[in-house]
Amino acid sequence: MIQHLRKDFWSHCFLVILAFIALYPFIYMIITSFKTNGQFYSHFFGITFPLHFENYRLAWESIGGYIFNSVFVGVVSVLLIICSSALAGYSFARLRFLGKNFLYMSVVALLMIPGLLTLIPLFLLIKGFGLLNSYAGLILAFAAAGQAFTIFVFRQSFASLPEELFEAARIDGCGEMRVFLQIVLPLAKPIVGTMAIWNLLTIWNEYMMPLVLISDSSKFPITVGLIQFKSQFVSQTLYGPMFAGYTIASLPLLLLFIFTMRLFMKGLTSGAVKM
Amino acid sequence: MAKTVEDVKIARVIKHSRLKKHFRYNWKSGYGMLIPSFILLILFMYYPAMIAIGFSFTNWDGFNQPQFTGLTNYSALFHDKIFWLSLKNVGIWAVIKVVIELLVPLIVAVVIYHLNSKRMQYIYRVLFVIPVVVPGIVMFMIWSFIYDPNVGVLNALLHAVGMDGFIKNWLGDPKLALYALMFVGFPFVIPFNLLIFFAGLQNISESIYESAKLDGITRIKRFLHIEMPLVMGQVKLILILTVIQLLQNVTLPLVMTNGGPGYSTYVPGLYMYFLAFQNGQFGLGMAVSMIIFVIVLILTWIQMKYINPSTEYEA
């Protein structure tokens, strides 16, 4: 180990400094989230004691509701995305029917369509359905937006399963639905998990869609809610609670990442490379 | 004896054709399993895309009956100084950022890849991926704070090292604001790109490196002549994705500068948002989004056509 470190000394220097700079804004955020205004002005960069945990309580009172909204909308949308696109991915990967390639290409083509193109019409459409300012409208919009990429990755992954598995099941007279549920899904758990995380991440970060579709502040997800939250604390210049709020907004995903790290990184690289 | 061999053959053929038949004629489940996805896609992707195309030729304001106005929206945009300015901004933005967002992660990936300890390779990858979990909006707000003219980190840092002359109102100066926004996310080790490049490097066969080592090739030469060409497939993929993503970057300028000061940080996506949701000019807004779409299509086509991946390597 030590020998390794010595051998790659300059590489390690380079990487450590770069990682520190990349992570510094978040380190600063966490340090500042424990400060009172007095500590903030007297020790701008350093860690100060005592740590003020009450900043977090104060911040949670304002953004707890937004976090709940994001979790609810995120989980329901991801379930919808995974269920529907796993079926579609299986169909594209393993079954034969007329027009399959055309349909598949029309799905892949969506990867090239910028989300901005559909933002205005989506707003008008959802307004037309009377779903503006509701969780349902937001969830449907998210579920549709996640389809193309998820189907694409699932198809790649299901297509690489060995054909013998399917032959055996089909000779036994298994229906396609049963083959899918009992053979494909258990084998595909890692990629399903990865895509669930990937979609949750995208939805958690999305700003424009909820900004346009939701106007009632009690239904805001965390991204839109944070803007409101920020203006509330900036006007009172309470920097501690403000940064505590930012930290809380990042915690759910950080926890998810910590618990699924290997799966997450593996899937990110395996799924997206082969285009 | 010959008979039995033939019997086996026949049996095999029968079995094979039955399988093939089964494989070919499962259109019922084939279409059936597509239904849930396609309901969502047709309603909320294809149909809105059609609306965008159609209504970009109308003067729709969201309330009154839309009227077909032909190319009026497009010619209005053609004579619109703000629109050209926003195109120019996004052009500068995309060109500079594409280079940085491809090059930096690639270099970092190469450096990590050549570490001797597998464990350290993994640790560094995790470190650089962590920013993924922080919502973009949080990052933008932290950077707004870094740039804050009164209490910001950047000015405090400049003051601390005695470079008071460089203290600026970063987001408030029309000449600086666009570049300040581009600097958000420094040092630009984009996690997704890093992981994909790293995977690409892992696919390069070990024997190439060994022969390169025997030739006594320098690191820079190795990077330019071996690693760069062999990850071209990944470069192509990331290039397309990065350009598409940069062209529709709205959230960053919206949250940090609201397009200001003046129009100095306007980008087409932001202009579209303002036109539609602040001025109620939905038709005109959709014309802007159509232009973005066409630009994306043209760029993607150029990339597909002229940048050939040279990932095929035979040892």
Side-chain angles (χ1 to χ4, degrees):
Chain A
M1 190 73 200
I2 302 283
Q3 212 177 359
H4 278 318
L5 286 180
R6 201 173 298 154
K7 223 168 157 187
D8 297 321
F9 181 72
W10 292 112
S11 298
H12 283 293
C13 284
F14 172 73
L15 291 171
V16 166
I17 291 171
L18 211 60
F20 178 76
I21 300 173
L23 294 174
Y24 183 73
F26 312 119
I27 299 171
Y28 184 84
M29 164 181 90
I30 293 168
I31 292 176
T32 311
S33 71
F34 290 108
K35 289 179 181 175
T36 61
N37 263 7
Q39 291 169 324
F40 174 78
Y41 286 116
S42 60
H43 296 84
F44 190 75
F45 289 107
I47 302 172
T48 51
F49 294 98
L51 301 175
H52 290 274
F53 286 95
E54 67 268 21
N55 287 347
Y56 280 83
R57 191 178 44 79
L58 205 62
W60 176 256
E61 277 168 18
S62 305
I63 65 166
Y66 304 138
I67 299 262
F68 169 79
N69 292 342
S70 266
V71 170
F72 176 74
V73 169
V75 168
V76 176
S77 313
V78 166
L79 280 177
L80 263 175
I81 293 173
I82 294 295
C83 293
S84 54
S85 39
L87 279 172
Y90 175 74
S91 175
F92 282 135
R94 285 287 161 190
L95 304 179
R96 283 212 181 150
F97 48 90
L98 192 68
K100 182 174 93 165
N101 281 334
F102 171 76
L103 288 174
Y104 181 62
M105 286 326 284
S106 64
V107 171
V108 173
L110 290 177
L111 291 175
M112 299 295 160
I113 290 191
L116 270 188
L117 178 72
T118 53
L119 187 70
I120 301 173
L122 205 58
F123 164 79
L124 296 167
L125 202 68
I126 286 188
K127 191 176 167 197
F129 285 145
L131 291 176
L132 215 54
N133 206 12
S134 73
Y135 289 136
L138 194 58
I139 288 171
L140 286 171
F142 278 144
Q147 291 290 330
F149 184 63
T150 315
I151 292 177
F152 171 71
V153 172
F154 278 156
R155 197 207 82 104
Q156 302 279 30
S157 151
F158 296 165
S160 66
L161 295 173
E163 179 60 27
E164 292 82 43
L165 279 174
F166 297 91
E167 277 178 24
R170 290 203 181 105
I171 288 169
D172 291 346
C174 259
E176 291 305 334
M177 203 58 200
R178 244 185 96 194
V179 175
F180 172 72
L181 289 175
Q182 298 194 335
I183 298 179
V184 176
L185 275 192
L187 286 173
K189 264 183 203 155
I191 194 71
V192 168
T194 308
M195 288 321 288
I197 293 169
W198 176 257
N199 278 301
L200 191 65
L201 204 85
T202 319
I203 291 169
W204 191 273
N205 280 324
E206 177 62 42
Y207 179 71
M208 294 310 288
M209 202 104 95
L211 179 69
V212 165
L213 295 182
I214 305 283
S215 52
D216 179 355
S217 70
S218 71
K219 288 178 185 157
F220 279 165
I222 185 67
T223 45
V224 184
L226 266 183
I227 300 287
Q228 190 138 334
F229 167 83
K230 182 199 164 194
S231 49
Q232 174 193 341
F233 282 90
V234 160
S235 58
Q236 305 169 33
T237 59
L238 287 170
Y239 292 106
M242 191 171 92
F243 280 98
Y246 297 169
T247 311
I248 293 174
S250 321
L251 274 182
L253 288 185
L254 184 65
L255 289 178
L256 188 73
F257 178 70
I258 289 171
F259 287 118
T260 59
M261 194 149 49
R262 280 185 185 269
L263 182 76
F264 191 96
M265 310 235 311
K266 214 173 168 182
L268 261 190
T269 47
S270 68
V273 186
K274 301 161 190 163
M275 188 155 181
Chain B
M1 196 62 194
K3 218 177 177 183
T4 34
V5 169
E6 211 146 271
D7 277 351
V8 172
K9 255 189 193 164
I10 289 169
R12 204 179 279 161
V13 168
I14 289 172
K15 186 182 151 197
H16 193 69
S17 70
R18 216 170 53 203
L19 261 180
K20 221 173 163 186
K21 219 173 174 184
H22 191 90
F23 198 52
R24 186 155 288 168
Y25 288 100
N26 39 26
W27 57 274
K28 267 188 203 161
S29 23
Y31 292 128
M33 287 170 139
L34 291 181
I35 288 174
S37 281
F38 269 79
I39 289 178
L40 284 168
L41 285 178
I42 290 169
L43 271 181
F44 299 106
M45 293 294 287
Y46 295 120
Y47 183 52
M50 294 299 137
I51 297 183
I53 298 171
F55 283 83
S56 69
F57 299 100
T58 69
N59 62 355
W60 202 10
D61 58 4
F63 296 100
N64 298 312
Q65 198 63 29
Q67 280 169 325
F68 181 76
T69 54
L71 291 172
T72 314
N73 287 336
Y74 290 94
S75 72
L77 287 174
F78 188 77
H79 297 290
D80 186 343
K81 278 199 186 115
I82 304 171
F83 181 66
W84 282 108
L85 180 67
S86 68
L87 272 182
K88 187 185 127 200
N89 285 343
V90 88
I92 298 174
W93 188 303
V95 168
I96 297 179
K97 281 285 247 197
V98 155
V99 176
I100 295 173
E101 291 191 358
L102 283 169
L103 212 55
V104 174
L106 180 58
I107 293 172
V108 174
V110 169
V111 174
I112 294 179
Y113 180 74
H114 286 292
L115 292 178
N116 285 298
S117 152
K118 286 266 181 264
R119 197 180 157 73
M120 289 311 289
Q121 288 187 357
Y122 187 73
I123 291 173
Y124 281 120
R125 268 184 294 154
V126 170
L127 277 181
F128 284 112
V129 168
I130 285 179
V132 156
V133 303
V134 178
I137 212 97
V138 169
M139 196 174 94
F140 301 156
M141 290 207 228
I142 296 175
W143 276 87
S144 300
F145 179 78
I146 290 175
Y147 286 136
D148 191 295
N150 304 315
V151 292
V153 176
L154 185 55
N155 283 348
L157 207 62
L158 289 171
H159 180 70
V161 295
M163 304 206 310
D164 288 59
F166 287 94
I167 288 177
K168 297 250 159 56
N169 182 0
W170 300 100
L171 294 177
D173 183 336
K175 286 204 186 90
L176 286 176
L178 185 68
Y179 298 95
L181 288 190
M182 284 165 58
F183 201 72
V184 167
F186 180 79
F188 315 110
V189 190
I190 313 293
F192 179 75
N193 301 4
L194 174 71
L195 288 182
I196 291 193
F197 282 136
F198 192 83
L201 290 170
Q202 283 177 318
N203 285 338
I204 299 177
S205 109
E206 205 58 49
S207 59
I208 301 182
Y209 285 117
E210 270 155 31
S211 54
K213 225 180 213 170
L214 288 178
D215 292 344
I217 202 170
T218 63
R219 283 185 185 204
I220 310 243
K221 269 195 172 158
R222 185 185 64 198
F223 180 71
L224 290 177
H225 297 299
I226 301 180
E227 280 142 358
M228 282 273 268
L230 286 176
V231 293
M232 265 330 250
Q234 278 76 29
V235 169
K236 187 182 162 192
L237 169 71
I238 294 179
L239 195 59
I240 296 173
L241 295 177
T242 307
V243 166
I244 293 177
Q245 184 214 325
L246 287 173
L247 280 179
Q248 47 177 334
N249 190 356
V250 186
T251 313
L252 177 57
L254 179 60
V255 170
M256 288 186 66
T257 60
N258 205 25
Y263 297 108
S264 59
T265 52
Y266 260 53
V267 289
L270 191 66
Y271 194 37
M272 177 209 89
Y273 173 77
F274 285 150
L275 283 175
F277 296 101
Q278 288 187 358
N279 304 358
Q281 294 172 292
F282 287 98
L284 195 57
M286 283 190 255
V288 174
S289 62
M290 277 306 295
I291 294 176
I292 301 173
F293 173 55
V294 171
I295 295 174
V296 168
L297 271 191
I298 294 173
L299 288 176
T300 311
W301 181 77
I302 293 175
Q303 285 168 352
M304 297 275 206
K305 200 164 155 74
Y306 292 105
I307 304 176
N308 297 312
S310 55
T311 38
E312 290 96 4
Y313 175 82
E314 283 171 59

